[in-house]
Amino acid sequence: MSEYGAPVPLVELVRGELREGTHHGSVVVLDPDGNVRHALGDVSGPMYPRSANKPAQAVGMVRAGLELAEEADLAMAAASHNGETEHVLRVREMLHRHDLTEDALQCPTDWPLLDSERDRRAAEGFGRQRITMNCSGKHTAMLATCVQRGWALEDYLDPKHPLQLELHDTVAELAGEPVAAFSVDGCGAPLFAVSLTGLARTFHTMATAAPDTPQRRVAEAMRSHPWFVAGTEREDTLLMRAVPGLLSKSGVEGVLALALPDGHAVAVKIADGSARARLPVAVAALRSLGVDGEALAELAESPLLGGGRPTGAVRALEGLFD
């Protein structure tokens, strides 16, 4: 018997008048004082935040001494970008300012996340590249930190490298709990497990940190430059544009973490890893905190299509946070 809770139903798929399916998961909502306001499912067991850990990793880099030319560069350090032209140009400029080339990146080669950008680059004869991989901004910031600190570049992803030790400690400190497990993320960087509550606490801490602290600098960079955090038609960009002052970062396997300027924070994990289910839960959580508006309402449901026309929706279960 697990000592932790089990995922619970959070999202329904309704086609016509029939509930076609259900997504289970876990969600935690924190009050401005950092205490738990709502907890559904498993919010205390270890989980991998995946790319939702990038803001904490960016904080660790700033703590280690990273200084970048522009605030948007810091947003790119925490990004899972689309690989659009301006994303790639900014990453390339960050590399060049530190006398580095794309060959220094140790993330895998990949296509841009945005389909239209992938198709355009393929038509122009480009293949998979490291610089178009969605984590290239984070990897470039890691390399820049190493250059500025005089640390070795060739093993910057080694868990025992000074950079990764700093990031491990920062993730644990911001989460308010020890790192529970270790693995390797899809981009090849070390991956640190914390609880869903720890992830929410990280975002709470970043949103409420004092001005000019590393935590606040990263939060401000992301909130000021949401397009560089993700890109066209991506959740994080849409959410941060819909809710002034919101801090948002998603991760694969159904993870999404948010914080409002007053310190309210939300963290979601969909058990089956579905990306389509996390946004309706996050919007429902924000609405339970009194956040609303037309732009947010447009994100509350995603359509299910039949014959190319909407015939249903993916939406949060009613009364989820009553």
Side-chain angles (χ1 to χ4, degrees):
M1 182 72 70
S2 172
E3 61 181 301
Y4 306 113
V8 299
L10 297 178
V11 173
E12 62 180 359
L13 288 67
V14 177
R15 187 179 295 273
E17 300 300 320
L18 181 68
R19 180 186 289 179
E20 187 175 28
T22 306
H23 288 291
H24 289 62
S26 304
V27 55
V28 61
V29 181
L30 303 185
D31 278 327
D33 59 8
N35 290 325
V36 175
R37 179 188 183 103
H38 296 290
L40 300 171
D42 179 7
V43 302
S44 57
M47 49 81 69
Y48 287 122
R50 303 300 298 270
S51 286
N53 249 352
K54 285 178 178 177
Q57 290 171 306
V59 171
M61 290 182 239
V62 175
R63 284 183 170 183
L66 175 65
E67 290 292 342
L68 295 171
E70 298 181 32
E71 191 180 55
D73 294 344
L74 191 53
M76 288 293 291
S80 299
H81 64 77
N82 267 343
E84 297 175 69
T85 299
E86 290 301 319
H87 294 133
V88 174
L89 287 175
R90 186 161 291 271
V91 172
R92 186 171 287 123
E93 289 169 2
M94 290 166 65
L95 287 167
H96 289 175
R97 281 197 294 268
H98 292 86
D99 295 322
L100 298 169
T101 68
E102 297 169 38
D103 292 337
L105 295 169
Q106 292 182 25
C107 54
T109 61
D110 204 355
W111 292 106
L113 289 181
L114 187 67
D115 289 347
S116 60
E117 189 66 21
R118 177 202 62 203
D119 294 345
R120 183 186 69 80
R121 293 182 70 85
E124 292 176 355
F126 291 99
R128 298 172 184 265
Q129 294 178 283
R130 288 186 172 86
I131 201 165
T132 54
M133 197 266 174
N134 77 90
C135 300
S136 65
K138 179 181 77 173
H139 280 252
T140 296
M142 287 180 173
L143 287 165
T145 305
C146 292
V147 169
Q148 292 178 20
R149 285 298 304 269
W151 289 335
L153 301 181
E154 63 273 6
D155 61 343
Y156 75 94
L157 296 183
D158 189 317
K160 296 180 181 179
H161 190 284
L163 171 67
Q164 300 303 336
L165 294 175
E166 178 71 35
L167 303 194
H168 171 282
D169 291 348
T170 300
V171 168
E173 180 183 330
L174 295 184
E177 61 189 48
V179 169
F182 164 84
S183 189
V184 180
D185 212 337
C187 69
L191 179 62
F192 310 117
V194 295
S195 70
L196 200 62
T197 301
L199 178 60
R201 194 179 296 119
T202 296
F203 279 65
H204 160 82
T205 299
M206 292 181 64
T208 59
D212 296 325
T213 59
Q215 300 95 302
R216 188 64 169 269
R217 288 179 59 191
V218 174
E220 289 295 338
M222 294 174 66
R223 292 185 292 206
S224 298
H225 302 279
W227 187 84
F228 282 110
V229 174
T232 303
E233 296 303 316
R234 292 278 303 285
E235 289 167 323
D236 294 313
T237 300
L238 295 173
L239 279 166
M240 287 191 278
R241 286 177 172 172
V243 182
L246 183 72
L247 177 66
S248 173
K249 187 67 190 75
S250 59
V252 298
E253 300 303 328
V255 179
L256 180 60
L258 315 167
L260 292 165
D262 65 1
H264 279 106
V266 179
V268 179
K269 172 71 174 79
I270 303 302
D272 63 8
S274 173
R276 71 177 176 177
R278 62 193 176 193
L279 188 55
V281 179
V283 171
L286 289 171
R287 284 176 160 174
S288 77
L289 299 175
V291 181
D292 216 333
E294 183 177 345
L296 189 63
E298 293 176 358
L299 304 177
E301 299 182 359
S302 58
L304 291 176
L305 302 181
R309 298 184 300 275
T311 187
V314 180
R315 64 195 185 197
L317 292 171
E318 287 189 25
L320 207 54
F321 299 101
D322 291 346

